[in-house]
Every structure is written in C-alpha cells, then in structure tokens.
C-alpha cells in the first residue's frame, strides 16, 4: 500500500535538509531521535551529508556553532541545536520545538581554592568564555564591570594558565569543571536541544517538517510515559481510575476470579513513583510497568 505521505512526496520530489552536530554533546541524542523517528541514516563517518534511505531528508553534519547561521541562510532547512548556541549567535531563525535531550546550563565558575566566591567578586576581573553575547548581557544586568576574553574552546583551562580569573561555560555532568578544580558560582542560562527552522520554508518542505514533528512528538510522549497493568478489587476501580486517567480512560477487564478486575492505563514518568504508592495503598496487586515505543494521541 502506498501511504499518503510517500504519495505526496513522490509528487513533490523535495528533500528537507537537517543540520545536526558533527560530534559533541548533541550528536548521539540527535542520531537517536532520528532513529526512533524511523529515519534511517548512516552514521555519517567523515561525511558532510548523508541521504536518509526511507524519508525525504538529507542530514548535514556540522559544527554546532555554525548551525544557526546555516539555517538562517537556508544552507540547511532545519537544525537540531542547543538553545545556548541559538541565543548566543542571534541569527534569524524560528524555534519550532524543544527536543528534551542535551540538557545543560551556562555557568560562571572559578578556581575552587581561590578568593573569588560570588558574582560581585568579579568586578574588575577577567572572564574567559565562548559565549560573549550572553555573558555581557548578564553582566550588564547584574551591574558587574568584568572584562570578557573570548576563546573558542578549552575554556576550562583559562584560569590555570593565567588567561582569566573565571570562566563562563556549559556544564552538563559537571565532570569538566570537577577535573579542572573549578566550582560554579552562578548559573546564567538553562538549555536543551531544540529544533530550529529557516523562516521561509517552501510548502513542500513544511509538509515534510510537519511529518517529522508528528514523529518527534510521538517519540517524546512515549519516552515520558509508561504503560501500566494491575489487578484490583472491583470496589476500588473508581479510586484507581481517578489515579490513572490514561489517554482517554483506563481499560477495565474482568479477571477469571470474581470480584477482581485488570486495569490498563498510561502513567507519566514524572509522577510515576508517587502514583504507584497510592495504587498499592488502594489494594492494587501485580503491577506491571511496560515501556511504550510510540505514543500517538
Ligand atoms: C561543553 C563545555 C565543556 C563540556 C561540559 O562543550 O564546553 O567542555 O561541554 O560538559 P560536562 O559538564 O559534562 O563535563 P560542548 O560539548 O558544548 O562542545 P563545544 O563547546 O566544543 O561545542
Ligand atoms: Zn560548539
């Protein structure tokens, strides 16, 4: 059977150019998201661009710092990129969707054993960073007269070699700061991967983007939810149904043993343990939690 999508794609013969980070923090999350969206891409080893084999998309592997500009200039149509880079580069692009991975923060950090302890101590000092735009805005807001030394990589070594008194850099696990004996004194921005788009996509490209977004949302909903099955005495069904509203309402099936039912529903990862405790307190037994692969509401 030819799906509506492949049918329209054949007519349009158009391809969506997707920019992702060539290597670094966002590479794996971006590739995993494409894979879970059913889009087959080679790993791009040393290749700048790769055509997806089963979706009208072409993947460009680029330096993350360049992605906003490439999307603005329509070299790529969309990009998976850190919010931090988009805010720093100030290019004209649309933010379409948060992607839920690559969570990190932009922080100011100082030497652990040094005399600088708070942001106010940075008056008259020098801060090394790859984020001069965001940092200068922040310092201005806080009325701190520090100078900014822009460097493009290995920011964490700047205090040790006497290049700066403090740094402003991305922190994810914190291990880079830890191994360089640095401590955070101020978080200035929280960030995660987002999907950005060129402002003037053609109707055909928009159609492909919508199809991609539909898949991304189904994957993300599935990641945030679990399927739950449990047995409960019939007199507790009402209470348990309130705890597990599900997508529409739970499925309730009678068990062979009279007076008992099996209840099936969907539960959000965020309130998971809290709800499980309440289910147990209300007589639920044999609770099974199962991952969901895709979720379409
Ligand atoms: C950031 C940052 C640190 C590292 C922090 O680099 O510059 O080096 O991640 O992560 P951690 O807290 O888990 O140790 P990024 O991957 O964004 O690379 P880039 O600066 O070269 O783009
Ligand atoms: Zn970068």
């Amino acid at each position: 059977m030819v799906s509506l999508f492949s049918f329209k794609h054949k007519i349009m013969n158009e391809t969506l150019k997707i920019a992702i980070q060539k290597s670094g923090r966002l590479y794996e999350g971006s590739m995993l998201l494409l894979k879970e969206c059913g889009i087959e891409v080679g790993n791009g080893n040393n290749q700048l661009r790769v055509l997806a084999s089963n979706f009208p998309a072409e993947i460009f592997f680029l330096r993350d710092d360049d992605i906003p500009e490439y999307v603005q200039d329509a070299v790529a149509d969309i990009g998976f990129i850190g919010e931090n880079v988009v805010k720093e580069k100030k290019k004209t692009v649309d933010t379409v969707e948060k992607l839920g991975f690559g969570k990190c923060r932009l922080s100011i950090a100082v030497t652990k054993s040094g005399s600088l302890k708070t942001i106010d101590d940075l008056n008259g000092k020098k801060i090394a960073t790859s984020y001069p735009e965001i940092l200068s805005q922040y310092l201005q807001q806080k009325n701190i007269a520090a100078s900014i030394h822009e460097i493009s990589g290995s920011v964490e070594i700047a205090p040790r070699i006497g290049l700066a008194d403090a740094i402003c850099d991305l922190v994810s696990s914190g291990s880079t700061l830890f191994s360089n004996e640095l401590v955070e004194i101020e978080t200035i921005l929280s960030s995660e991967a987002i999907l950005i788009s060129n402002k003037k996509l053609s109707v055909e490209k928009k159609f492909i983007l919508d199809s991609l977004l539909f898949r991304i949302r189904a994957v993300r909903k599935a990641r945030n939810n679990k399927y739950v099955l449990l047995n409960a005495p019939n007199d507790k069904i009402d209470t348990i149904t309130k705890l597990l509203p599900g997508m529409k309402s739970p499925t309730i099936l009678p068990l062979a043993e009279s007076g008992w039912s099996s209840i099936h529903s969907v539960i959000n990862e965020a309130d998971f343990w809290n709800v499980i405790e309440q289910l147990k307190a209300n007589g639920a037994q044999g609770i099974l939690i199962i991952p969901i692969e895709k979720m379409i509401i």
Side-chain angles (χ1 to χ4, degrees):
M1 192 187 91
V2 178
S3 72
L4 180 64
F5 181 68
S6 52
F7 176 66
K8 284 205 177 175
H9 165 230
K10 275 212 179 80
I11 294 177
M12 298 183 309
N13 199 19
E14 187 60 278
T15 302
L16 191 70
K17 292 178 281 180
I18 306 175
I20 70 167
Q21 192 186 24
K22 174 169 67 178
S23 63
R25 283 178 322 104
L26 300 184
Y27 172 78
E28 298 213 339
S30 304
M31 291 299 275
L32 180 66
L33 184 59
L34 289 174
K35 186 174 173 221
E36 288 184 346
C37 287
I39 299 173
E40 284 169 18
V41 185
N43 61 10
N45 266 345
N46 296 323
Q47 267 175 302
L48 172 65
R49 43 201 273 204
V50 174
L51 265 178
S53 57
N54 59 352
F55 190 82
E58 191 176 0
I59 318 301
F60 284 62
F61 298 94
L62 302 169
R63 275 196 57 207
D64 64 342
D65 303 40
D66 298 332
I67 290 177
E69 186 168 351
Y70 282 139
V71 170
Q72 171 187 272
D73 299 347
V75 174
D77 300 311
I78 64 165
F80 294 178
I81 181 69
E83 248 173 317
N84 51 303
V85 180
V86 179
K87 291 218 164 104
E88 178 64 30
K89 300 295 174 190
K90 292 190 153 168
K91 302 294 174 192
T92 309
V93 295
D94 281 337
T95 293
V96 181
E97 190 89 352
K98 292 201 174 215
L99 298 176
F101 65 91
K103 291 198 174 152
C104 62
R105 53 196 185 269
L106 187 64
S107 290
I108 297 176
V110 296
T111 315
K112 207 188 308 181
S113 51
S115 59
L116 306 173
K117 302 287 176 210
T118 70
I119 174 105
D120 293 316
D121 298 338
L122 294 175
N123 266 305
K125 305 289 183 202
K126 199 194 266 186
I127 311 173
T129 190
S130 317
Y131 294 87
E133 271 298 322
I134 301 174
L135 178 60
S136 70
Q137 257 180 38
Y138 188 81
L139 293 175
Q140 219 169 359
Q141 235 176 55
K142 296 272 164 174
N143 251 325
I144 308 285
S147 62
I148 297 176
H149 185 83
E150 184 179 353
I151 43 180
S152 61
S154 303
V155 174
E156 61 278 1
I157 63 167
R160 212 177 337 133
I161 59 172
L163 197 63
D165 305 292
I167 65 163
C168 170
D169 200 12
L170 282 192
V171 184
S172 169
S173 65
S175 68
T176 304
L177 290 188
F178 184 80
S179 54
N180 287 280
E181 299 191 355
L182 296 166
V183 283
E184 287 174 84
I185 55 169
E186 191 88 359
T187 297
I188 70 180
L189 177 85
S190 293
S191 175
E192 67 179 85
I194 57 174
L195 191 160
I196 57 169
S197 157
N198 177 272
K199 281 195 164 288
K200 291 185 185 145
L201 290 188
S202 65
V203 176
E204 292 85 355
K205 284 180 192 273
K206 267 195 191 127
F207 179 79
I208 304 171
L209 175 57
D210 280 347
S211 161
L212 175 65
L213 276 175
F214 176 78
R215 296 185 188 196
I216 288 175
R217 287 173 187 150
V219 167
R220 292 207 53 213
K221 279 210 183 73
R223 282 183 189 168
N224 293 334
N225 288 279
K226 299 271 180 270
Y227 193 75
V228 53
L229 299 100
L230 57 87
N231 296 328
N234 286 347
D235 61 340
K236 296 289 187 190
I237 289 176
D238 282 352
T239 323
I240 289 180
T241 301
K242 285 196 187 87
L243 289 169
L244 289 176
M247 292 213 272
K248 201 175 194 88
S249 68
T251 305
I252 298 169
L253 302 164
L255 287 190
E257 184 176 330
S258 73
W260 282 78
S261 295
S262 168
I263 303 178
H264 300 198
S265 192
V266 163
I267 187 170
N268 193 284
E269 187 87 64
D271 2 286
F272 180 77
W273 289 109
N274 186 17
V275 173
I276 296 292
E277 272 166 28
Q278 294 182 60
L279 292 173
K280 282 191 70 182
N282 279 288
Q285 293 180 6
I287 304 172
L288 297 180
I289 310 294
I290 298 168
I292 299 171
E293 179 151 329
K294 306 281 186 287
M295 190 164 156
I296 296 141
I297 301 187

